[in-house]
């Protein structure tokens, strides 16, 4: 690994270049520090097993340990996943959500299943690089190329399906993205040291999910301020698409069909109950839910940086672990941003609900959206899907309860997205996407910034003209005029997006 990377250290320092800084990695393993889960894996040469840093097993001897940057790198070198700590199910590295470079973009697209759907050529094409150059960049930083990284994800998806559904093993093989049952069997044996049938028998005592659903845990790095995160989403929930009762639930537009998810915060994880029309969409659904809730963040690193400012230190101490609510669909979020220009949150909800009703007539929670599963039996998904770009571009004027200028802006956005001229997904070049957004009529810095903040996941966006931000700043004794506020916010880099969320909470 030639590139230097930094991790927050339990001793207040950093771990630089995970593979090389043996001492700090070993201290993290010896203390079983869960904050390092997802940053690296511990490969034990005597057992040929790799673990997450917080594995409860006895700390291996120094001479028997290697530190590798990813589960895929460990698998590539012949190590098997620990069945006790499940290193493949650890939170992902915060880098892949925060960074804007090609490697981070590639990791976000791999998590969304792009390699399974379009192969390495499809991934390389999306990123604008040759397959060879992309392989070289990923291997240099992660110890594995795109195929190995996708294979690791495929195996983890298969394990979840084996342990949480009653699908046949052959169905699971193809649902997880394997090309053959033989390849599936060999991979599972190689990575977990057990046959798929043995994994199923080992999980036989677990409580079964409801018919047609998959229930799994989405781990995160503590702390998590669940009230702030789910309260933000609840306040902006679009009737029909989203619902908030005893948990947050919404529909999902996925590569192979519709889906729905219910998300409930628990101690150390978020419980996700998924209903999918096609189980091949499990990995993309999980990736989008993790992004929505910002579950791969490193909250201690963010909070430590923001608390240096005396103006924020008290609120950070009072509410640790405030996350950045993101999005499951970039186009949907961009429409929300345009609708939300200069109107209240409640007014924006009403306008969006009307757009959904006009474009999706079954837009009442509980009305079924059905699709053939393609793999296994067909399932129905409850709720209305937010309309896609092509539908919005052709929607009648009556669907838009807003001024004509704003309607034209949404049509221009929808037309550009439907034509493929504007892409707003996890693998997009953020700077280029913001430039294209600003070129649309009626899209200014606030709207483009809000899309970058939530749809593109940029951790360092600040909106100094935002009324909520200015009110929150005033409540904390900070300048409330755009210029001086923006100047003060410079000290919050590279986490200005998280500072903005805290200002909104103060407002």
């Amino acid at each position: 690994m030639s590139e230097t990377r930094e991790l927050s250290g339990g001793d207040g320092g950093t771990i630089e270049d995970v593979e090389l800084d043996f001492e700090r990695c070993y201290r993290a393993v010896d203390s079983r520090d869960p904050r390092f889960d997802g940053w690296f894996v511990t490969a034990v040469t005597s057992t040929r097993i790799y673990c997450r840093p917080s594995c409860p097993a006895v700390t291996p001897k120094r001479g028997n340990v290697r530190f590798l940057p990813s589960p895929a790198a460990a698998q590539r070198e012949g190590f098997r996943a620990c069945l006790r700590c499940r290193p493949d199910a650890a939170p992902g590295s915060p880098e892949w959500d925060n960074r804007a470079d090609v490697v981070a973009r590639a990791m976000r697209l791999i998590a969304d299943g792009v390699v399974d759907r379009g192969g390495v050529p499809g991934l390389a094409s999306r990123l604008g690089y040759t397959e060879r150059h992309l392989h070289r960049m990923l291997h240099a930083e992660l110890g594995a190329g795109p195929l190995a990284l996708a294979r690791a994800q495929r195996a983890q998806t298969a394990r979840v399906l084996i342990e949480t559904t009653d699908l046949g093993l052959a169905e699971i093989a193809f649902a997880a993205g394997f090309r053959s049952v033989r390849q599936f069997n060999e991979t599972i044996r190689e990575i977990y040291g057990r046959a798929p049938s043995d994994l199923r028998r080992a999980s036989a005592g677990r409580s079964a999910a409801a018919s047609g659903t998959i229930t799994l845990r989405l781990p995160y790095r503590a702390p998590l301020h669940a009230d702030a995160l789910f309260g933000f989403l609840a306040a902006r929930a679009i009737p029909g698409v989203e619902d908030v009762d005893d948990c947050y639930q919404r529909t999902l537009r996925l590569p192979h069909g519709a889906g729905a998810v219910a998300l409930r915060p628990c101690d150390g994880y978020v419980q996700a109950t998924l209903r999918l029309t096609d189980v091949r969409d499990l990995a993309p659904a999980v990736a989008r839910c993790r992004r929505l809730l910002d579950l791969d963040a490193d909250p201690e690193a963010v909070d430590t940086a923001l608390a240096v400012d005396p103006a924020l230190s008290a609120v950070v101490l009072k509410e640790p672990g405030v996350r950045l609510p993101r999005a499951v669909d970039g186009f949907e979020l961009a429409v929300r941003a345009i609708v939300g220009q200069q109107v209240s949150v409640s007014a924006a909800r009403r306008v969006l609900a009307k757009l959904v009703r006009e474009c999706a007539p079954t837009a009442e929670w509980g009305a079924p959206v059905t699709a053939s599963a393609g793999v296994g039996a067909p399932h129905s998904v409850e709720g209305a899907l937010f309309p896609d770009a092509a539908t919005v571009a052709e929607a009648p004027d009556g669907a838009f309860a807003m001024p004509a200028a704003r309607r034209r802006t949404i049509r221009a956005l929808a037309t550009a997205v439907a034509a493929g001229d504007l892409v707003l997904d996890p693998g997009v070049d953020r700077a280029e996407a913001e430039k294209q957004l600003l070129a649309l009529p009626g899209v200014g810095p606030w709207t483009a910034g809000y899309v970058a903040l939530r749809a593109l996941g940029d951790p360092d966006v600040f909106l100094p003209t935002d009324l909520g931000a200015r009110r929150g700043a005033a409540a904390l004794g900070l300048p409330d005029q755009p210029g001086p506020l923006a100047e003060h916010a410079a000290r919050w880099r590279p986490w200005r997006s998280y500072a903005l969320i805290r200002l909104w909470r103060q407002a």
Side-chain angles (χ1 to χ4, degrees):
M1 293 174 63
S2 58
E3 183 174 340
T4 298
R5 296 188 290 145
E6 295 186 351
L7 289 79
S8 300
D11 56 1
T14 60
I15 291 179
E16 298 184 354
D17 197 340
V18 177
E19 192 175 27
L20 300 180
D21 197 337
F22 184 94
E23 287 303 319
R24 284 184 173 170
C25 287
Y26 192 83
R27 284 204 299 273
V29 171
D30 195 37
S31 62
R32 297 176 177 81
D33 192 335
R35 293 173 299 174
F36 292 87
D37 289 352
W39 282 108
F40 63 88
V41 295
T42 306
V44 184
T45 57
S46 57
T47 62
R48 304 303 296 173
I49 289 174
Y50 72 93
C51 304
R52 62 170 79 189
S54 66
C55 183
V58 175
T59 303
K61 296 178 180 179
R62 290 172 176 268
N64 294 337
V65 169
R66 293 179 59 197
F67 297 112
L68 298 171
S70 67
Q75 294 167 18
R76 183 175 175 273
E77 298 199 21
F79 292 91
R80 302 191 311 273
C82 175
L83 292 175
R84 185 174 181 182
C85 70
R86 305 286 178 91
D88 55 338
S93 169
E95 292 184 289
W96 312 139
D97 271 345
N98 294 334
R99 284 165 42 182
D101 57 82
V102 175
V103 171
R105 291 167 55 202
M107 290 299 289
R108 293 195 287 269
L109 288 173
I110 291 170
D112 202 56
V114 167
V115 173
D116 290 334
R117 297 191 295 275
V120 177
L123 176 66
S125 175
R126 289 287 305 277
L127 296 169
Y129 285 82
T130 66
E131 294 177 49
R132 178 175 294 183
H133 189 46
L134 179 60
H135 179 90
R136 188 161 53 243
M137 287 189 291
L138 287 170
H139 197 279
E141 186 159 346
L142 289 152
L147 277 177
L149 291 163
R151 175 179 180 265
Q153 176 173 284
R154 221 173 280 138
Q156 200 260 342
T157 299
R159 182 181 61 77
V160 170
L161 291 172
I162 290 168
E163 296 179 346
T164 63
T165 74
D166 57 1
L167 288 173
L169 295 178
E171 290 179 295
I172 289 173
F174 294 107
F178 290 98
R179 295 182 181 275
S180 69
V181 174
R182 179 180 176 181
Q183 183 190 56
F184 161 70
N185 287 326
E186 290 176 348
T187 300
I188 297 300
R189 283 181 179 275
E190 182 180 333
I191 292 178
Y192 298 110
R194 295 186 183 183
S197 56
D198 294 333
L199 287 177
R200 172 151 284 177
R201 277 194 294 271
S203 64
R206 300 186 183 186
S207 57
S211 177
T213 67
I214 300 170
T215 299
L216 63 160
R217 296 182 175 190
L218 308 181
Y220 58 78
R221 292 176 186 83
L224 171 70
H225 197 302
D227 289 346
L229 177 60
F230 285 89
F232 185 97
L233 297 173
R236 292 159 179 79
I238 304 173
V241 175
E242 300 164 285
D243 186 55
V244 183
D245 189 3
D246 61 336
C247 63
Y248 170 80
Q249 50 189 324
R250 66 156 296 144
T251 54
L252 303 168
R253 185 181 298 281
L254 298 165
H256 297 102
V261 64
L263 298 165
R264 188 190 313 274
C266 302
D267 186 17
Y269 64 94
V270 172
Q271 179 179 288
T273 301
L274 288 154
R275 185 180 292 274
L276 306 172
T277 60
D278 192 318
V279 288
R280 287 178 296 176
D281 284 327
L282 177 61
V286 168
R288 294 176 196 195
C289 290
R290 294 194 66 84
R291 282 183 58 78
L292 172 68
L293 303 181
D294 196 21
L295 295 185
D296 290 326
D298 184 351
E300 289 207 356
V302 175
D303 288 354
T304 298
L306 296 182
V308 171
D309 186 346
L312 289 182
S313 59
V315 297
V316 170
L317 182 63
K318 181 182 178 182
E319 296 186 339
V322 170
R323 304 298 173 110
L324 175 60
R326 297 187 177 178
V328 296
D329 181 83
F331 171 69
E332 176 189 317
L333 196 284
V335 173
R336 288 176 183 256
I338 294 168
V339 170
Q341 294 173 354
Q342 301 178 339
V343 300
S344 67
V345 170
S346 58
R349 288 183 67 204
R350 290 194 295 271
V351 171
L352 290 163
K354 178 177 175 59
L355 179 63
V356 171
R357 284 196 305 271
E358 294 293 330
C359 295
T362 57
E364 293 181 8
W365 192 264
V369 176
T370 59
S372 175
V375 177
H379 300 302
S380 67
V381 173
E382 295 183 346
L385 292 173
F386 191 88
D388 62 16
T391 302
V392 172
E394 299 297 327
D397 288 350
F400 301 90
M402 62 189 73
R406 200 164 301 166
R407 182 172 68 238
R408 286 194 293 271
T409 299
I410 291 179
R411 285 196 193 282
L413 167 76
T415 300
V417 171
D421 298 329
L422 173 61
V423 178
L424 297 173
D425 68 15
V428 72
D429 182 313
R430 290 171 180 165
E432 181 62 26
E434 286 190 67
K435 181 180 177 181
Q436 290 178 290
L437 282 166
L438 288 168
L440 295 175
V443 172
W446 183 91
T447 304
Y450 190 82
V451 174
L453 177 87
R454 295 193 58 201
L456 308 184
D458 191 334
D460 197 34
V461 171
F462 194 70
L463 307 175
T465 62
D466 183 83
L467 183 58
R470 293 168 61 191
R471 286 175 175 168
L476 294 174
L478 292 168
D480 63 356
Q481 295 304 307
L485 179 57
E487 184 178 346
H488 185 94
R491 69 186 65 187
W492 300 329
R493 289 182 179 274
W495 307 114
R496 290 183 298 169
S497 298
Y498 290 87
L500 182 61
I501 293 294
R502 289 188 175 277
L503 293 187
W504 283 342
R505 285 189 60 72
Q506 295 305 304

